[in-house]
Amino acid sequence: MNRTSAPVDAPATGAWEGLVTTALLGTDRRTPPGTGPGPAAPVALLEAAAVETVRRRAGLRPARAAERPQPAPEDPRPPLPPAAVRRLALLLADRPGASGGGRRGTAPDLTELLPQWLAAANTRGFAPPPQALPALLDAARGRTDLRPAALEFAGPRALWLARLNPDWRFALRSTPGGNTALQHLEDDDSVRQLWQEGLFAERVALLSVLRSRDPSAARDLLATTWPTERAEDRLMFLDSLRTGLGSDDEPFLEQALADRSRNVRATAAELLSALPGSALAARMAVRAEACVAIDHTQAVQAAGVTEVPGATVATPTIAVEAPHECDPGMERDGVVAKAPAGRGERSWWLGQLVEAAPLGTWSRRLGGRTPREIVALPVTDDWQGELHAAWCRAAVRQRDAEWSRALLGEPSAPEAGGPGAVSLAERAKLLGTLDAAERAEWVAGFIATHGLSEAFQLLGVCAVPWAPPLGRAVVDALNIARDAGSYPWSFSGVMGLAERCLDPSEAGRLDALLAVPDEPENASPGAGGYWAEAFQRLVTTLRLRAAMTEELNTP
């Protein structure tokens, strides 16, 4: 080709869009450029589309003659093994919905395996084959969940291509260092210029990258323009401080508590409450302690015990006295005064105070008891749900595993909600504070007691591949559902998770489940065939995942 690519900021030619429009209208109503009406018009349209398709696949758009682009940078990472190159091509060639709907059959869903393949390739530090980069960028363009892993794998050459093709501009916004200005963070003048003159997306990317490298420098840069930023921009910039949050950020966040924007004040308060040693956390602890205390008298009366010498005293009870007002100090510290529809004001204020108080407050306040002992105490006047829900939010915010265990309770408890968590969403968040092995063990015990119908959301927070006890619990529960003739399509979500998350070494244990089972009289019509098909697909997918790993491990 004698033509070269246009500069990155040049507008797109729109040639492809024009050809598509012509095809939709028909060559009788609109002819391709340079062609008159008549029998030759359809042929000219197809020829022009073929040429434009080659140009698009090459990663370049036609443009007026300009300075030739610089050569693509070298990628120093080792190349993929040949078998893995072929596997990547197959994964990228698959498209969602290619089967045309209906039953999935026994073929693995390759689109769901691509994220796992990319994660494994990134862990091993491989570079992609150059010919795969356009398809890889197209896949990342269509799936935002795929972008971080895909762009990490694609490497510097993908950014080079993205500067030449407007369809892939997202890579420049999504990748740290995708903007050329971000490649010179050691140059203070360049950083200040980009911060003061750059587009909003460029400034957000700059702050995020700088925060991951030097938290103090990022915070100081933000402080230089903080008073003049728009409220919605201040909120986005403040959110970047979650990365590397530490006690050095407290003075800046304390100033943000006086911000004009309520949302900015609330975010600053949330960040400060995640620092148990902050002054805000101490203020919230004082307020929360004034609302929650041990009431021995209430415990005695509730048990019907007369206060006489030698009488046996019942278990102490937690008494709650919710705030009667939301004063200006509370509002400044992030308490939202107006309750949502359907919520009482006092319970709304109480929940916010308890959520923001350091969890270490309660052992001291409630007689030196452990979190598990505190959660087990009765609470007066129906305040238990509100109090425990606030403790759940505090445990997640402060990443406190001991409190999370207390609120989750035993997975085999008769009540599925545990002593503190009252919803699947809360339990999933609490599980996220535990290490991977403990998380898997708890969910396995939950499935053994309560089955799979309640466990789908909990499985989503477990590390992949699932630990053996969890994998066995899921397979056993699916087998029980199959033998009972349960409605099979209601378990399709769990089956999909198992295909992606079950350890491939479990494939051999599943061979006994591939036959079509005898259907009970009350079974759904065709359920046996569906179950056999689903287990066949599960085994095929597990073996494919094992092959993918072996290909990536081949020297």
Side-chain angles (χ1 to χ4, degrees):
M1 264 172 57
N2 293 326
R3 290 180 172 179
T4 58
S5 68
V8 65
D9 294 326
T13 63
W16 179 258
E17 290 76 8
L19 293 173
V20 171
T21 302
T22 300
L24 291 172
L25 292 174
T27 53
D28 291 339
R29 299 175 60 188
R30 176 172 172 172
T31 58
T35 306
V43 177
L45 174 63
L46 293 175
E47 289 178 345
V51 171
E52 184 64 21
T53 297
V54 172
R55 288 170 173 162
R56 287 164 61 86
R57 288 178 176 173
L60 293 173
R61 291 293 179 85
R64 290 192 298 269
E67 182 181 351
R68 290 184 179 275
Q70 294 296 318
E74 292 295 327
D75 193 331
R77 297 173 294 178
L80 277 174
V85 172
R86 293 190 291 272
R87 180 71 63 191
L88 175 61
L90 291 173
L91 293 174
L92 291 172
D94 198 60
R95 290 291 180 269
S99 63
R103 287 170 67 156
R104 288 178 52 195
T106 60
D109 186 348
L110 299 185
T111 60
E112 292 299 328
L113 295 182
L114 180 57
Q116 197 168 109
W117 188 95
L118 288 170
N122 286 334
T123 299
R124 291 160 175 79
F126 285 122
Q131 69 273 18
L133 287 174
L136 188 62
L137 285 168
D138 281 340
R141 181 190 181 197
R143 289 181 58 179
T144 55
D145 65 304
L146 204 62
R147 287 183 185 179
L151 294 178
E152 179 185 349
F153 177 64
R157 289 178 173 176
L159 299 180
W160 181 84
L161 280 175
R163 295 189 181 99
L164 302 174
N165 188 337
D167 283 349
W168 301 328
R169 285 277 184 88
F170 70 88
L172 302 178
R173 298 188 299 270
S174 304
T175 305
N179 187 289
T180 52
L182 296 187
Q183 298 174 3
H184 306 286
L185 290 180
E186 67 280 358
D187 184 350
D188 292 341
D189 291 337
S190 297
V191 168
R192 281 194 297 270
Q193 182 179 2
L194 180 59
W195 179 250
Q196 293 170 1
E197 302 175 7
L199 300 173
F200 176 71
E202 293 174 326
R203 300 178 74 210
V204 170
L206 171 64
L207 195 64
S208 299
V209 174
L210 194 59
R211 183 70 179 179
S212 64
R213 297 187 182 186
D214 188 343
S216 297
R219 185 188 61 249
D220 293 344
L221 183 66
L222 176 57
T224 61
T225 59
W226 179 261
T228 60
E229 303 287 357
R230 299 184 306 166
E232 54 267 34
D233 293 351
R234 292 199 303 277
L235 184 62
M236 289 288 293
F237 293 145
L238 193 63
D239 200 58
S240 69
L241 298 187
R242 297 181 189 277
T243 301
L245 181 66
S247 57
D248 291 344
D249 298 315
E250 184 177 356
F252 180 83
L253 294 173
E254 277 284 345
Q255 292 180 4
L257 291 176
D259 197 87
R260 302 183 300 276
S261 166
R262 185 184 70 181
N263 289 334
V264 172
R265 294 196 303 271
T267 301
E270 180 190 345
L271 293 173
L272 283 167
S273 66
L275 297 172
S278 68
L280 178 137
R283 295 193 295 271
M284 288 299 200
V286 171
R287 295 178 180 123
E289 285 178 341
C291 300
V292 180
I294 292 291
D295 187 347
H296 293 281
T297 303
Q298 180 70 24
V300 170
Q301 292 174 349
V305 179
T306 305
E307 288 191 89
V308 296
T312 302
V313 180
T315 302
T317 301
I318 296 178
V320 174
E321 180 66 28
H324 290 274
E325 64 172 343
C326 183
D327 58 46
M330 290 168 59
E331 288 197 66
R332 181 183 180 278
D333 285 346
V335 176
V336 179
K338 185 176 181 181
R343 289 286 301 274
E345 282 187 335
R346 295 181 65 198
S347 64
W348 172 244
W349 299 332
L350 173 73
Q352 293 178 80
L353 295 181
V354 173
E355 176 182 358
L359 287 164
T361 299
W362 302 112
S363 180
R364 180 182 66 254
R365 176 63 172 165
L366 303 177
R369 292 175 172 85
T370 65
R372 195 176 294 273
E373 291 169 339
I374 291 171
V375 170
L377 291 174
V379 183
T380 60
D381 301 328
D382 296 324
W383 281 108
Q384 178 168 312
E386 188 68 49
L387 185 60
H388 285 193
W391 279 335
C392 285
R393 297 192 297 272
V396 172
R397 181 183 296 186
Q398 298 172 36
R399 310 299 298 173
D400 193 306
E402 186 178 7
W403 269 90
S404 293
R405 294 185 194 100
L407 292 161
L408 283 165
E410 295 299 325
S412 58
E415 69 270 18
V422 295
S423 70
L424 283 170
E426 283 179 336
R427 277 174 281 174
K429 291 176 181 178
L430 290 170
L431 284 167
T433 68
L434 308 180
D435 64 58
E438 186 176 2
R439 203 182 314 162
E441 184 179 358
W442 196 95
V443 176
F446 182 90
I447 292 171
T449 301
H450 305 289
L452 286 171
S453 60
E454 294 283 328
F456 183 79
Q457 198 165 353
L458 305 180
L459 288 169
V461 301
C462 293
V464 177
W466 288 336
L470 177 58
R472 287 192 291 270
V474 171
V475 171
D476 290 346
L478 287 170
N479 191 25
I480 291 171
R482 182 191 74 148
D483 290 345
S486 299
Y487 192 64
W489 295 272
S490 62
F491 293 91
S492 59
V494 177
M495 271 291 188
L497 270 180
E499 290 169 20
R500 300 189 297 274
C501 303
L502 199 63
D503 194 311
S505 63
E506 296 287 318
R509 276 202 331 117
L510 300 173
D511 287 337
L513 304 177
L514 301 182
V516 178
D518 296 330
E519 296 184 4
E521 293 183 2
N522 58 346
S524 302
Y530 176 91
W531 280 111
E533 189 177 90
F535 278 115
Q536 178 66 62
R537 183 173 61 249
L538 175 58
V539 171
T540 303
T541 303
L542 293 178
R543 290 183 172 143
L544 174 56
R545 285 173 52 206
M548 286 165 39
T549 301
E550 184 177 351
E551 291 163 358
L552 287 168
N553 289 336
T554 301

